[in-house]
């Protein structure tokens, strides 16, 4: 019986997930040190139905 190969994700998948995690961490660092930087962002406030 030959050993079965493990199904590892490709390097592009690992790199993409790492980039997303780094962007999230970078966002939290920016909001910690520069809280006024993201105050003008639209966060989807509820609008009254007309």
């Amino acid at each position: 019986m030959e050993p079965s190969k493990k199904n590892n994700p490709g390097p592009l998948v690992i790199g993409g997930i790492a980039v997303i995690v780094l962007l999230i961490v970078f966002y939290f660092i920016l909001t910690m040190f520069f809280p006024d930087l993201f105050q003008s962002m639209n966060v989807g406030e509820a609008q009254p139905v007309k």
Side-chain angles (χ1 to χ4, degrees), residues 13-39:
V13 175
I14 295 173
I17 293 173
V19 166
I20 291 172
V21 170
L22 285 174
L23 285 175
I24 292 171
V25 170
F26 187 64
Y27 169 76
F28 281 118
I29 290 173
L30 280 178
T31 54
M32 199 182 321
F33 290 111
F34 305 106
D36 297 333
L37 191 61
F38 297 102
Q39 292 299 321

